[in-house]
Structures are given as C-alpha cells and as structure tokens.
C-alpha cells in the first residue's frame, strides 16, 4: 500500500510516515531474490519474491500456490498455516514438492506464534490470519522474517505488507451450459506495493493454463502458469 | 571329523503365533482362531485344525470349513515380543538358552539334568516354569541334538501321552527314522528324493554320506547329518540383551498431565542415558499406560532422528492428552507408565557432521517445537493417495510418523476427477443450494437425470446468484455391493456469477460444495 500524502490527523500521519520509512528499508538493494516462476516477472513488484518480505495474496488459493511453486522447485521447504482446505493435489500439480511441504491446518489462536516458529527454519511460509494483528506483533515478526530471509505469503490482508496481489476478475473456459468441463481460466491480477513498487498494476495471467493437464505435468516441467497476454498500466 | 551330538532339551510351545495373537487381542485360544498372511492361513488353533483348517489354505476356504473362525492378522514381531518374557523366565531356571524361533527354545541337557536330578525332572521343572506364565500345553523333548529333541517334543503329548518325550542316548537315529524326509530338506529336494524313492529320514540316512554330498552339496550333507542323528549343531546360548525399558508406578495415582510429565522426567533421562552409555540411540519407543479404572493404552512412536529425554516426555504427553490441552485433567488417574525401546541403533549411524547437521535437521527442530506447542497431529506432511472423493485422496501424516502404504494411487478409480484439481478442498462439505428457474431445488432421479437446468446457486444463508455455466451430473458409485458403506453421489461443476468455479456434490441429503477452484 502506498501512503497517500493527503493531510491527515496527527497519529495517523505519523503511522503513514513510519510506513513510508519501512517501505524504503524493505527495498534495500541487498535483499536477495527468491526464485519465482517466470510468469510473475511482470506481475510482482520488483519482478520476483524477495527474502524477508511479506506478500499478501487475496482471493485466490491458486495464485498462492503458483507463488509457492517457484521456491519449492528450487529445493526450499514451504509451510502452510491455518488453511485446512489447502488442496494438496492441486499444489502437487502446480509443482510444489510435497516432500518439502508442511501443513499446520488448525493452529487456533496460536497461529502467530506458530508462524514465528516456522519462519525461523522454513523459507516460505503461507498463512491465513485469524482475527486482527497488533502492529507491535507484526513489526516483531517482520524483523524476524528479515533476519531469517523468510518470505511470508498472507492469504488475506496484512498491515504493512511489502506487496499485495489480488484477483480482480476471473473467467473460466471449457464449461458451458450443461456440457464441457473446466479447463483453464484467465485472471486479471492486480499488484501493488510500497516504496519503488508503489504503482498499482494489472496483468493478465492464465491461472491455470490449458497445458496444466495431468499428463503434461508428469512429463517435463511445463509452465504451470502461462503468461499469454500481458498488459500493464499505471493506475 | 564326527562329533557326538550333545544331549539337548527343547521346549516347544505349540501354535505359538496363535497363542501370542490371542493373548494380545484378548481372545480365548481354545476357540477356532486363524492367523492370516497374504490371504492365506499362516497358523491356526487346535480347534480350527479339528474343523479342517490347515496352514496354507486360502481365507475363503478356511471360513467355509470352519464357519465360526476368528481371523487375525499375523504379526511376526508380536510373536517375538510375547515370547520374550518366557525366554527371560526360562533363563532364570536354566541358564544358556538358545532361541530357535518364537515358541521354541533349546538348551544343553547335562547341567539341568544334574541339577534337578534327571532329565525327566529337569523337563518337568521347565514345564512348571512356563505354566507359571500362563502358557498352557507346552512340551519338552530330550534327545541327541536339537533336531531330534525338537521332533521328540513334537511327538510327546500327541495322543494323551505325557508332555515330556525322552529319547534314550544313542537311540535318536532310530527315533527319527520313520519321519518324512521333508523335515530336513527344502521342498524341491524333498520332491526329488520322494521321486527317487527316499521317503523317510531312515532311508535318507542309509544313503552313503559321500554320495549325498556329491549330489546335494553342503546343504544335503547337513541334512544327512541330521537324518543320521549325528547333528553337529550345538546349542549356542544367547547373551541376554541389555534391559533398557523403564517403568514407574505412581502412588497415589496422578490425574494431571503436567504433574505426570514432571514426575516422569527423571526416568526419561535415565532411559536415554542408559542407552547412551552403551553407545546406542533409540529411534522408536512404545509407551504403555495403565490407569486406575483398569484401562490400558499402548502406542508406538517413531522419531525421525532419535529420542532425547524431552522427546520421550512429549510423546507421553501427546498420548495422554489426545485432543485436550496440557493442563486438562485425565478421565482416570494414571497408576503406571512403561517405556520400551522398539528400535535401537548405534550412535555411529547418527553422528552429526563435523560442520553440524544439514538444513533438514533445523527444519525438524522447528517442526518439533510447533508440535510440542500444538500436539503431535497438528503438524502434518501430505501425500496423494487413492480414492474418488477429493478429501480422501489427501493423506495427511503427522510429522515424524511413517507414511502409510499407498499401493492404489495408480489405480484408475473410475469416477474420480480426471482434469484440473481444485485449489481448495473442504474437509467438511459446505451446505449449498442449487435452484432451477422456478426457485425449486434441482433433484436427480434414479436414472441420473436432472429435474431442471440449474439456474441459481447459493451458499447456505447467502443470496442466490445466477449460474454462468454448469456441467453434470457425473455419477460416483462406490461399494454398491455393501449396504453399509455404499455411496452414490453426483458431481457438478459450476461457475458462479463472480467467475468462481465450484465442484458440487449431490447426495441423499442434499447439495454440498466439495471443493472450490479459486
């Protein structure tokens, strides 16, 4: 989120300024890139996931899986916290290695503690937060993430996330009135971020693409997320 | 060189696997019981044998011959586990015991015979010992060499005779002569010998030894020695394995988990320290808990690396608490806790590298921490198994446990979803409504035809929205031959007005959302 420079009351103005300072810190040049699927090159602010950042992904588990697939394919462990309905089969077809995937489906009220414990050892952690989070707790967790170089993917809103992705529109193909079956869909992913990635951008992705057939995935690793058409404009 | 075979006592417990399984399952061993391995009868009780069940018979055939047959799975490790206390007790009576197989023990006769004043008295002392452990029907044979002694034990007590069979010194060859030759050689050689007209051990023993060796090699010569009663095998007494298990009685009984965990901490330290002194690590333990109301719980726990004292205490806590929290009270106070090591390995195989462990070790530590916060089952790894419904295709295994066998993943599973896998699979299906143009619920008749085209779709309690596209019904029929587990559902794929796709299921109770493509 960019901090708008509209006049505001005292405390919120301070928060905005702090958010801007944090935003500048988060985009240090030495933060390392995490291997991400090439299709996200033009979607994500900065072109790739970065170590120690928080990316919030709203409204699509598939998008979350696609983001996790790149790091998982490069041999990193990943963890999913608080998402009991996370579809394992779809995750495997997207290229997430189940051998290096850990699920904590029901962390209950302790989800933040669990995320902090996992962030120490697992480089990619996805979480669905329950209830609100206090700013003090998030900043402590953010410091920990930055120190460990862990990417936190949040399925939902997160105060002060470095980037946020959301699905604005989705259109399925293959299913008609009374016949056919779901084959692929086009989505419009909107992406925003802080600091130098402050511009809000929209891109079209195939998520999943038609090539994501069972047979194709078993063979050579095809592009699970295909970038068919690309359009980007500043809002 | 021919050594005179030593006088040997063999203690034989008939049908030991059946006895062990019955004792574990709490079944009366006098009932017809059969142990099944690979669809065939592995062992059966005397009552089942009277009905005509024998080893090697197929499961169906056995049930046909003995309709009241109780079937249990054969577990080889159980045999050994139940026999271990018997071996220990016999070792207290007679030192130098060789375990031939679970249920059969051999020992030299000279010492016991002198101590008890005769072979018969020694044999009866042995029988008294095992009878004290509740093992009924054991038999003892005394002869020259373990093979002849075992045959003597099997022959003893066969038809109302006393359960001790003693073959006089030097008479062993004559005693085993009428027995079939298949007892000493494998099935192939046995068939060959039968075709050659050699049917009994006596006839086999009559062949010249040099010829047997030339024709059948070392194995044949070994069998020939046995058949002639000049067995060269000696009793090799086992070294009793070191005792590692720990147990603690609680008086008064403890009814809180944290109290129990604290009280057991010292014993857990001692348990691990004793193994470390022998340069061993433990990778699997069994925890047995007795409570005041007579309940007994036993469970095996594996560890991906090796147990530390804190890990042992954690496992005790997890076994007790189940789904409760750490400070919850137990239903019945605990009187006794026992820990038995199940898998032990040398520390040499578990040494850390010079530069510390790999990254996976760190992951393991982190996950163990989360497990001690939330419980053993809270941290899971996933695998894809077989099945038609999406939720049952996901196999979740607690971190540290071994994944179950999944042989059926590649099976075709007619009715399962062939294409795209949904990203969200609901563990508990959501109730929904699928309505036609008139606002009535869409129904499916016995022939699989829908009452009307679905037009509107609503989550429970939500507002109905138009359906953009739909396809179905796709029937899934499971176990139609089994009234209790039969399942017959119809699947639909729809796309709702927001462009979100759903996988719906219609069963006897109504419409449900099984998964969402989001």
């Amino acid at each position: 989120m960019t901090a708008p420079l509209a006049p505001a009351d005292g405390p919120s103005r301070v928060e905005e300024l702090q958010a801007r300072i944090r935003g500048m810190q988060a985009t240090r040049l030495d933060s390392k890139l995490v291997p991400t699927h090439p299709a996200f090159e033009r979607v994500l602010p900065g072109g790739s996931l970065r170590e120690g950042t928080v990316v919030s992904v709203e409204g699509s588990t598939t998008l979350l899986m696609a983001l996790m697939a790149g790091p998982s394919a490069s041999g990193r462990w990943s963890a999913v916290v608080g998402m009991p309905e996370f579809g394992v089969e779809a995750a495997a077809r997207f290229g997430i290695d189940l051998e290096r995937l850990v699920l904590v489906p029901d962390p209950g009220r302790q989800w933040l503690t669990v995320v902090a414990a996992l962030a120490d050892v697992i480089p990619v952690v996805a979480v669905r937060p329950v209830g609100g989070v206090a700013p003090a707790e998030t900043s402590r967790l953010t410091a920990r993430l930055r120190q460990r170089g862990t990417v936190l993917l949040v399925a939902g809103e997160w105060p002060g996330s470095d980037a946020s992705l959301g699905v604005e529109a989705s259109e399925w193909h293959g299913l008609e009135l009374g016949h056919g079956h779901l084959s692929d869909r086009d989505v419009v992913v909107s992406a925003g971020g802080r600091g130098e990635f402050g511009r809000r951008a929209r891109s079209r992705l195939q998520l999943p693409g038609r090539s994501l057939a069972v047979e194709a995935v078993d063979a050579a690793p095809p592009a699970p997320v295909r970038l068919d058409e690309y359009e980007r404009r500043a809002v | 060189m021919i050594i005179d075979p030593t006088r040997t006592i063999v203690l034989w417990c008939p049908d030991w696997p059946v006895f062990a399984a019955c004792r574990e399952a709490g079944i009366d061993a006098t009932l017809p019981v059969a142990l099944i391995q690979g669809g065939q009868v592995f062992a059966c009780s005397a009552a089942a044998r009277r009905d005509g069940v024998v080893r090697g018979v197929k499961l169906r055939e056995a049930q046909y011959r003995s309709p009241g047959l109780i079937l249990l799975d054969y577990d080889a490790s159980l045999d050994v586990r139940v026999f271990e206390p018997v071996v220990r007790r016999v070792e207290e009576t007679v030192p130098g015991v060789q375990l031939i197989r679970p249920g059969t023990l051999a020992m030299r006769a000279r010492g016991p015979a002198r101590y008890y004043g005769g072979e018969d008295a020694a044999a009866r002392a042995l029988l008294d010992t095992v009878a004290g452990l509740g093992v009924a029907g054991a038999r003892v044979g005394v002869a020259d060499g373990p093979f002849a002694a075992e045959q003597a034990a099997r022959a003893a007590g066969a038809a109302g005779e006393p359960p001790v069979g003693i073959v006089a010194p030097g008479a062993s060859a004559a005693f085993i002569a009428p027995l079939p030759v298949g007892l000493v050689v494998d099935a192939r050689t046995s068939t060959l010998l039968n075709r050659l007209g050699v049917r009994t051990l006596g006839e086999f023993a009559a062949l010249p030894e040099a010829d047997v060796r030339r024709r059948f090699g070392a194995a044949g010569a070994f069998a020939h020695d046995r058949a002639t009663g000049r067995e060269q095998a000696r009793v090799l007494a086992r070294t009793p394995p070191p005792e590692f298990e720990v147990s603690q009685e609680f008086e008064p009984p403890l009814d809180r988990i944290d109290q129990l965990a604290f009280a057991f901490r010292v014993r857990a330290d001692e348990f691990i320290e004793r193994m470390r002194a022998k340069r061993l690590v433990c990778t699997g333990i069994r925890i047995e808990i007795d409570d005041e109301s007579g309940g007994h719980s036993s469970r095996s726990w594996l560890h991906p690396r090796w147990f530390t004292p804190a890990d042992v205490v954690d496992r005790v806590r997890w076994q007790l608490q189940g789904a409760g929290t750490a400070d919850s009270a137990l239903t019945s106070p605990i009187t006794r806790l026992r820990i038995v090591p199940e898998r032990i390995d040398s520390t040499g195989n578990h040494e850390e590298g010079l530069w510390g462990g790999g990254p996976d070790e760190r992951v393991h530590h982190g996950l163990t921490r989360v497990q001690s916060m939330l419980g053993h089952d809270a941290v899971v790894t996933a695998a894809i198994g077989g099945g038609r419904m999406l939720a049952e295709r996901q196999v979740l295994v607690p971190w540290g446990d071994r994944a179950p066998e999944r042989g059926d993943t590649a099976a075709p599973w007619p009715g399962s979803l062939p294409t795209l896998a949904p990203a969200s699979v609901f563990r508990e299906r959501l109730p929904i409504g699928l309505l036609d143009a008139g606002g009535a619920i869409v129904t499916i008749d016995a022939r699989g035809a829908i009452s009307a085209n679905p037009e509107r779709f609503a989550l429970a309690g939500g507002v109905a929205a138009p359906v953009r596209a739909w396809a179905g019904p796709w029937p899934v029929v499971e176990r139609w031959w089994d009234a209790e587990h039969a399942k017959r559902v119809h699947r639909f794929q729809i796309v709702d007005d927001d462009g979100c796709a759903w996988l719906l299921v219609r069963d006897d109770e109504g419409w449900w959302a099984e998964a969402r493509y989001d």
Side-chain angles (χ1 to χ4, degrees), chain B residues 8 10 100 143-153 175-176 179-180 183-184 201 223 225-227 229 231 233:
Chain B
T8 307
V10 166
I100 295 179
D144 299 341
F147 174 71
E150 191 180 337
Q151 299 312 317
F175 171 73
I176 58 172
L179 298 176
L183 286 173
V184 292
L201 290 177
D225 274 353
R226 281 186 157 189
E231 194 181 0

Side-chain angles (χ1 to χ4, degrees), chain A residues 63-85:
Chain A
L63 187 59
L64 187 76
M65 285 176 181
L67 279 172
M68 288 169 74
S72 182
S74 71
R76 280 162 217 248
W77 281 74
S78 43
V80 179
V81 180
M83 298 177 69
E85 76 284 358

Side-chain angles (χ1 to χ4, degrees), chain B residues 172-174 176 201 204-207 221 223-231:
Chain B
S172 291
I176 58 172
L201 290 177
F204 186 50
L207 300 174
H224 190 260
D225 274 353
R226 281 186 157 189
T228 51
R230 283 175 302 167
E231 194 181 0

Side-chain angles (χ1 to χ4, degrees), chain A:
Chain A
M1 304 283 162
T2 27
L5 289 173
D9 296 337
S12 63
R13 175 84 182 142
V14 171
E15 267 178 29
E16 279 168 22
L17 288 173
Q18 277 176 345
R20 289 191 67 187
I21 292 168
R22 277 203 306 273
M24 286 168 191
Q25 284 170 341
T27 55
R28 288 169 307 173
L29 286 173
D30 58 346
S31 69
K32 285 188 204 147
L33 296 180
V34 176
T36 320
H37 196 276
F40 286 102
E41 201 175 306
R42 290 166 177 178
V43 179
L44 277 173
S48 175
L49 292 173
R50 280 172 188 275
E51 285 191 352
T53 55
V54 181
V55 179
S56 90
V57 181
E58 283 183 66
S60 175
T61 314
T62 312
L63 187 59
L64 187 76
M65 285 176 181
L67 279 172
M68 288 169 74
S72 182
S74 71
R76 280 162 217 248
W77 281 74
S78 43
V80 179
V81 180
M83 298 177 69
E85 76 284 358
F86 189 82
V88 175
E89 211 168 351
R93 291 191 193 178
F94 262 104
I96 297 176
D97 190 349
L98 296 187
E99 299 276 311
R100 287 189 301 269
L101 175 70
V102 179
L103 307 174
V104 186
D106 300 300
R109 282 169 302 164
Q110 302 192 52
W111 65 270
L112 195 66
T113 328
V114 170
V115 168
L118 289 177
D120 279 350
V121 289
I122 291 185
V124 181
V125 180
V127 62
R128 171 168 301 148
V130 186
V133 205
E137 282 171 334
T138 53
S139 61
R140 248 203 314 276
L141 181 63
T142 316
R144 203 158 174 174
L145 295 175
R146 217 170 280 157
Q147 186 195 353
R148 296 285 176 182
T150 301
V151 181
L152 183 67
L153 303 172
V154 182
E157 283 196 27
W158 189 263
S161 58
D162 295 280
S164 66
L165 302 182
V167 171
E168 282 200 352
S170 102
E171 194 189 346
W172 280 96
H173 302 296
L175 195 65
E176 307 292 335
L177 284 169
H179 59 94
H181 60 84
L182 295 175
S183 61
D184 59 313
R185 79 166 163 177
D186 288 341
V187 293
V188 177
V189 176
S190 72
R194 293 192 325 207
E196 59 176 291
F197 317 119
R199 292 162 300 169
R200 194 83 192 164
R202 286 204 191 89
S203 345
R204 278 179 87 82
L205 284 182
Q206 276 217 326
L207 193 72
R210 198 175 283 274
S211 62
L212 191 76
V214 189
E215 300 84 30
V217 170
D218 286 342
V225 182
R226 201 143 45 89
L227 188 70
D228 262 4
E229 189 190 333
Y230 165 66
E231 104 188 358
R232 177 176 175 160
R233 56 193 156 95
V235 176

Side-chain angles (χ1 to χ4, degrees), chain B residues 87-95 97 112 115-116 122 125-126 129-130:
Chain B
V87 182
R88 285 186 188 273
R89 185 62 73 83
V90 170
E91 272 174 342
E92 286 169 16
T93 318
V94 177
V97 173
Y115 181 80
Y116 289 101
L126 269 176
T129 308
V130 294

Side-chain angles (χ1 to χ4, degrees), chain B residues 463-493:
Chain B
V463 183
V467 171
R468 273 199 214 160
W470 60 276
W474 303 329
V476 181
V477 183
E478 272 189 336
R479 298 193 157 262
W480 45 265
W481 59 89
D482 179 355
E484 202 177 319
H485 300 106
K487 193 155 66 178
R488 186 182 162 85
V489 300
H490 294 275
R491 274 182 168 148
F492 266 78
Q493 272 182 344

